[in-house]
Amino acid sequence: MYALTFGGKEMIEYSNVSDPQLLQPTDAIVKITMAGICGSDLHVYHGRETGLDHGTVMGHEFTGIVEEAGRDVRKFKKGTRVLSPFTTSCGECFYCRIGLTCRCEKGNLFGWVEKGHGLHGAQSQYIRVPMADSTLLPLSNDLSERKGLLLGDVFSTGYFCADNAGIKPSSVYAVIGCGPVGLMTVIAAKHLGASTLFAIDTIPERLAMAKNFGAVPLNATLVNVKEEILNNTHGRGADGVMEVVGSSATLKLAIDLLRPGGTISSVGVHTAKHFSFSPGEAYDKNLIYKSGRCPAHYYAEKLLRTEVPQRYAIEDIITHQFSLQQGAKAYEVFDKKLDNCIKAVLMTS
Ligand code: NAD
Ligand code: ZN
Ligand code: ZN
């Protein structure tokens, strides 16, 4: 089969690799129909994450059709349309039982093979999915592949971020970063009842989309964001700030925009060694801080039981579509935000 593999810093290769095989009776092989390129893939692409083996199949966002199910797989059979969270989960351990499926004791991230151990990814024609019954979710016919793909990662993550902010209708919120995840956070925060919601970024097209989704856009290069928030909160600051970038600067901005007793909900992946605010600042703000990897299985399953994915045009963030063969170009367009790219997907067959 063909797949996009990691060939080193900024080298994505369209490679002929061996087909995945069932290794355990609980595994399934899924024929991928659509795979996403995610901001998290760029950490690998730019060589900021070290340790990934050359030849690892990239990617962790996908929808597909079950091609082959191991003999102990009960919920899925050949031909079932599925989506997948970006990690596997067992459904039975302490963390799975409390809904923190991203910390499953047996779980792994797709697209991460280090020293020969781990799971290959989804930017490929086929993928092996361990613990298929508790990892995969059925994708009903009334949901498009695009919606299914976003449910497996960025929409669930945006929802998790908004959920952690403890949205109350009369309060004032800000989302920092209007990339794919930030835009999903805007939709989720509006859905959860945020009547006053500011969305902060520096890219006009992304801010325009945040506005379409119901937020008040603030372009950080044109306005003083802090002044705007203070003016709208009787000088107090926002009740909740959702940090969806992953930089020291935006974490510092988050605390600066927050009122005492407010909540920072951060889903940005941070690589800095220290917080960009001090324990004293946190104390003085009576800060509530929530962060972490999204338990995407828990959220996707929960959202699939509602009409939320159907109700909102979450797929509007997918601005670009490429074939698998165009993978290197797709990474370049997504990385450099060429042609106003927000989210890119790969058609794999
Ligand atoms: P992205 O890079 O596409 O979006 C970030 C946005 O923030 C961009 O639009 C950029 O213009 C804006 N931005 C950057 N610095 C800014 C600043 N100082 N002020 C205002 N705006 C600024 O990323 P994404 O795909 O939307 O992902 C966002 C973050 O979420 C990343 O760190 C990603 O790795 C992380 N993520 C986390 C999880 C999780 O489980 N917690 C899941 C998926 C992604
Ligand atoms: Zn992702
Ligand atoms: Zn588990």
Side-chain angles (χ1 to χ4, degrees):
M1 67 165 186
Y2 281 92
L4 299 185
T5 57
F6 177 63
K9 193 170 180 253
E10 282 156 37
M11 278 174 64
I12 297 297
E13 291 163 347
Y14 180 67
S15 313
N16 195 343
V17 300
S18 51
D19 289 355
Q21 308 289 328
L22 295 174
L23 298 181
Q24 299 290 332
T26 47
D27 288 355
I29 303 297
V30 174
K31 182 179 199 300
I32 292 170
T33 47
M34 184 181 278
I37 306 182
C38 176
S40 307
D41 296 330
L42 296 180
H43 295 298
V44 174
Y45 179 67
H46 288 300
R48 287 194 292 263
E49 300 272 9
T50 51
L52 193 79
D53 290 356
H54 285 198
T56 299
V57 177
M58 297 286 294
H60 55 260
E61 298 179 353
F62 66 99
T63 55
I65 295 165
V66 174
E67 175 74 13
E68 198 182 352
R71 67 171 186 276
D72 290 347
V73 175
R74 302 272 172 263
K75 295 187 190 158
F76 304 98
K77 57 181 197 307
K78 184 175 167 71
T80 315
R81 213 169 158 244
V82 291
L83 66 96
S84 179
F86 56 92
T87 61
T88 58
S89 50
C90 76
E92 289 171 349
C93 72
F94 172 82
Y95 295 104
C96 283
R97 281 189 277 114
I98 63 166
L100 207 57
T101 51
C102 54
R103 298 292 167 206
C104 172
E105 289 166 10
K106 295 182 187 161
N108 274 302
L109 181 65
F110 287 109
W112 194 272
V113 179
E114 195 167 345
K115 297 196 177 90
H117 296 285
L119 293 179
H120 283 291
Q123 291 162 10
S124 170
Q125 292 180 302
Y126 294 90
I127 188 167
R128 180 177 75 89
V129 179
M131 303 183 284
D133 273 342
S134 44
T135 296
L136 296 171
L137 289 159
L139 181 61
S140 60
N141 286 333
D142 66 331
L143 282 174
S144 64
E145 279 170 1
R146 288 180 170 216
K147 283 187 194 277
L149 181 113
L150 298 175
L151 269 163
D153 187 347
V154 298
F155 186 49
S156 287
T157 303
Y159 204 93
F160 167 65
C161 185
D163 204 16
N164 274 347
I167 307 278
K168 292 191 189 73
S170 55
S171 302
V172 175
Y173 297 92
V175 173
I176 305 176
C178 297
V181 186
L183 290 167
M184 296 294 93
T185 306
V186 167
I187 290 182
K190 290 303 289 183
H191 172 75
L192 291 168
S195 48
T196 310
L197 177 67
F198 293 94
I200 302 160
D201 206 294
T202 54
I203 302 175
E205 292 75 18
R206 293 181 177 213
L207 286 164
M209 198 170 283
K211 189 174 176 212
N212 277 345
F213 291 150
V216 178
L218 293 180
N219 187 329
T221 51
L222 304 178
V223 297
N224 183 324
V225 170
K226 188 172 175 183
E227 246 174 54
E228 290 286 332
I229 301 282
L230 292 178
N231 287 342
N232 280 279
T233 53
H234 309 283
R236 282 197 299 265
D239 299 283
V241 180
M242 291 157 264
E243 192 279 324
V244 200
V245 181
S247 75
S248 296
T250 49
L251 207 49
K252 177 77 175 100
L253 179 62
I255 198 164
D256 286 346
L257 299 181
L258 197 71
R259 70 157 167 84
T263 300
I264 292 178
S265 170
S266 169
V267 291
V269 175
H270 290 269
T271 50
K273 282 203 166 52
H274 301 284
F275 275 93
S276 49
F277 51 81
S278 68
E281 280 174 277
Y283 179 92
D284 289 342
K285 278 267 159 102
N286 280 51
L287 174 68
I288 301 166
Y289 180 79
K290 293 191 175 182
S291 72
R293 180 188 274 179
C294 170
H297 190 278
Y298 172 82
Y299 273 94
E301 191 175 43
K302 179 173 152 151
L303 287 163
L304 284 167
R305 288 196 296 267
T306 69
E307 292 290 303
V308 174
Q310 283 88 340
R311 195 182 319 163
Y312 299 98
I314 57 175
E315 63 280 10
D316 283 1
I317 64 164
I318 299 175
T319 50
H320 288 69
Q321 182 172 310
F322 297 90
S323 67
L324 194 60
Q325 206 165 354
Q326 293 170 306
K329 168 91 183 149
Y331 265 82
E332 192 194 353
V333 169
F334 178 70
D335 175 42
K336 296 190 175 143
K337 303 181 176 71
L338 302 178
D339 187 29
N340 293 329
C341 181
I342 298 179
K343 178 87 178 164
V345 294
L346 300 157
M347 303 308 289
T348 48
S349 45

